[in-house]
């Protein structure tokens, strides 16, 4: 990675992780990669954007029905015709994440980036969390749904992210020991960004 640095952001659903990552990238003057990874993957892999969105950060066990119906038949892609499509999507994104980390400083959201880049110099892994009721209220507001529906969506989304992460990674999603920093976003997004920026300077540059 040379002089490049990478901040990876894992996040609970509704914790504000994407917004924090966007603010951080702007503060650090680097690119943010979240859904942008899907566009790059679509260009480089031969997979359609629709397929990438469908299988993005989804747990493997939810695709057993699709597997039985032959939904994973992408012959010749990545030279692994028998590989399940969800695995192919992960493999494509992992390759892109490694290539990006080699050529530029950036902030990457989700997709097991901290595990994919494990052992790399100049990488800081962060996990953003918050109280589930607070997250449900935030989701309720921006999705314009009831609190009950938002609460259910938060729980289901967290379960999907955990299932995806724990399948493709040796570490456990949301476990403090899996990340350099875990921060509760209740302290305020700007304060979270300030803390991460400080840690980038101290951990990576020693300033």
């Amino acid at each position: 990675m040379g002089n490049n640095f990478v901040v990876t952001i894992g996040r609970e659903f509704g914790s504000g992780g994407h917004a924090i990552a966007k603010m951080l990238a702007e503060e650090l003057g680097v690119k943010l990669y979240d859904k942008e990874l899907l566009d790059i993957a679509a260009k480089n892999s031969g997979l359609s954007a629709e397929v990438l969105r469908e299988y993005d950060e989804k747990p493997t066990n939810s695709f057993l029905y699709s597997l039985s119906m032959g939904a994973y038949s992408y012959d010749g892609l990545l030279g692994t015709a028998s590989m399940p499509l969800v695995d192919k999507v992960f493999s494509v994104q992992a390759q892109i994440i490694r290539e990006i980390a080699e050529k530029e400083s950036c902030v990457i959201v989700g997709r097991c980036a901290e595990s994919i880049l494990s052992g790399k110099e100049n990488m800081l892994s962060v996990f953003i969390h918050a109280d589930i009721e607070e997250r449900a209220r935030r989701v309720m507001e921006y999705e314009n749904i009831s609190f009950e529906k938002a609460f259910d969506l938060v729980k289901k989304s967290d379960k999907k992210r955990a299932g995806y992460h724990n399948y493709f990674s040796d570490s456990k999603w949301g476990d403090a020991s899996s990340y350099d920093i875990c921060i509760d976003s209740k302290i305020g997004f700007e304060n979270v960004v300030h803390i991460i920026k400080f840690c980038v300077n101290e951990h990576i540059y020693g300033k």
Side-chain angles (χ1 to χ4, degrees):
M1 291 171 61
N3 294 323
N4 297 333
F5 68 85
V6 177
V7 180
T8 65
I9 306 286
R11 72 283 185 228
E12 291 181 330
F13 188 76
S15 64
H18 177 83
I20 289 168
K22 183 178 180 181
M23 293 169 62
L24 177 67
E26 291 173 353
E27 279 284 319
L28 295 173
V30 300
K31 288 184 179 179
L32 169 67
Y33 290 97
D34 189 349
K35 296 298 183 183
E36 294 82 359
L37 291 169
L38 302 181
D39 295 331
I40 299 172
K43 293 178 182 179
N44 295 354
S45 68
L47 288 168
S48 70
E50 291 75 17
V51 166
L52 286 162
R53 284 194 293 270
E54 177 66 22
Y55 290 85
D56 183 42
E57 287 197 294
K58 300 290 179 64
T60 299
N61 60 4
S62 67
F63 297 106
L64 293 179
Y65 175 76
S66 296
L67 178 59
S68 69
M69 296 301 291
Y72 295 158
S73 56
Y74 268 70
D75 292 345
L77 180 65
L78 302 179
T80 52
S82 62
M83 181 187 288
L85 186 51
V86 65
D87 289 56
K88 291 177 181 177
V89 170
F90 175 80
S91 180
V92 168
Q93 292 196 77
Q95 181 178 345
I96 290 169
I97 285 170
R98 293 188 189 99
E99 291 174 353
I100 289 172
E102 286 296 328
K103 71 179 182 180
E104 63 181 283
S105 296
C106 60
V107 176
I108 302 176
V109 177
R111 296 166 185 84
C112 301
E114 85 289 344
S115 294
I116 292 167
L117 300 176
S118 178
K120 293 287 187 181
E121 295 181 356
N122 297 348
M123 193 268 285
L124 186 73
S125 61
V126 180
F127 189 81
I128 307 296
H129 61 95
D131 178 79
I132 189 169
E133 292 191 354
E134 180 181 340
R135 292 188 286 131
R137 284 191 290 271
R138 185 176 292 124
V139 171
M140 177 181 69
E141 291 179 4
Y142 67 68
E143 292 288 350
N144 194 27
I145 57 178
S146 68
F147 178 82
E148 291 73 19
K149 288 183 178 180
F151 192 88
D152 186 57
L153 179 58
V154 166
K155 290 198 297 182
K156 288 181 177 178
S157 298
D158 279 353
K159 186 176 181 180
K160 288 179 180 179
R161 287 180 179 178
Y164 172 89
H165 184 281
N166 295 344
Y167 177 76
F168 287 111
S169 174
D170 292 333
S171 61
K172 186 177 180 181
W173 183 82
D175 189 317
S177 65
S178 301
Y179 307 88
D180 295 317
I181 311 169
C182 291
I183 309 178
D184 192 326
S185 60
K186 72 178 180 182
I187 67 173
F189 290 6
E190 291 185 357
N191 290 329
V192 172
V193 170
H194 178 76
I195 290 170
I196 298 173
K197 186 177 179 181
F198 172 82
C199 291
V200 168
N201 288 332
E202 290 294 318
H203 176 69
I204 295 175
Y205 293 114
K207 294 180 180 179

